[in-house]
Amino acid sequence: MTAQVPSQMSGQTAHQHIRAALYDGLCGSAEPAIVFPEATSSAASLWVASRLWVDFFRANKLVAGDRVVLQWPSSPGFVAFLVAAMWEGLTTAIVPPGMTPQQSMKFFDARLGLGCGGLEADSAACPVLPELWLPRSAVGKPTPDVRLLMRTCGTSGCPGWVAMSDENISSVLDSHKSRLVNRGDVVLSI
């Protein structure tokens, strides 16, 4: 069995493929229910919160490829922010423990970050920001071909940063789809 590459996606771009997967998997659906240490959220709840984040990104004039930082604990807010950033085509850096918010914003030349500069998510995963909050001005140009920046665990050597494109993510989604979308499945991420 071969993975479906973006050029074989019935005319869809890889980004449209990701958007379709997010919409189909979350919009108006009670399942999946995602369990976090402090809360459980339905797909529909995460979808609604992600739409508020999309509105927030658009109100702050973020464009595809603008870099954002995700430096927030595992929670509905983490997922809603990530879904919205992927929907908008932003480049999201998922920051591991050890970097301060100031370091991560500068290192990634990010416009904003969840968990940075006072930007937070409430218990329902909705944006919360302090008064007079403004996004940071980036020094470099947007990186629209990069969707995720993630650090490897370093099992085969020194940890490093990996840039994943929409095509990379679509390929992974397609290769796992047959194993993860059966009714009654329970998937754990620990």
Side-chain angles (χ1 to χ4, degrees), residues 1-189:
M1 174 189 240
T2 58
Q4 186 180 30
V5 294
S7 62
Q8 298 170 325
M9 290 183 202
S10 307
Q12 283 187 324
T13 67
H15 189 238
Q16 290 168 329
H17 182 64
I18 289 171
R19 276 184 152 193
L22 291 170
Y23 183 85
D24 292 344
L26 299 174
C27 185
S29 180
E31 295 178 339
I34 303 176
V35 180
F36 301 95
E38 304 296 324
T40 298
S41 291
S42 69
S45 294
L46 291 169
W47 179 254
V48 170
S50 75
R51 304 321 299 159
L52 294 173
W53 282 104
V54 165
D55 292 345
F56 173 77
F57 295 149
R58 290 177 182 175
N60 283 285
K61 300 182 179 13
L62 271 68
V63 298
D66 274 344
R67 287 166 303 285
V68 296
V69 167
L70 186 44
Q71 194 162 0
W72 196 248
S74 176
S75 64
F78 181 101
V79 175
F81 182 95
L82 180 59
V83 166
M86 291 185 75
W87 184 269
E88 289 296 284
L90 304 177
T91 300
T92 305
I94 299 177
V95 181
M99 288 181 93
T100 67
Q102 296 79 12
Q103 289 170 327
S104 62
M105 291 293 288
K106 185 175 180 182
F107 182 79
F108 293 107
D109 190 25
R111 299 279 320 277
L112 58 86
L114 181 58
C116 303
L119 182 59
E120 298 180 355
D122 66 14
S123 61
C126 304
V128 176
L129 57 149
E131 272 188 60
L132 306 176
W133 182 91
L134 291 172
R136 180 181 175 275
S137 294
V139 175
K141 293 181 180 180
T143 51
D145 295 335
V146 177
R147 197 61 51 239
L148 288 175
L149 296 168
M150 300 174 66
R151 190 163 174 124
T152 65
C153 63
T155 54
S156 62
C158 201
W161 287 97
V162 176
M164 295 182 69
S165 67
D166 287 325
E167 289 81 6
N168 299 138
I169 295 166
S170 290
S171 179
V172 170
L173 288 173
D174 287 343
S175 69
H176 287 75
K177 191 174 186 177
S178 65
R179 292 186 173 92
L180 296 178
V181 293
N182 300 311
R183 179 143 316 275
D185 281 354
V186 175
V187 180
L188 300 176
S189 176

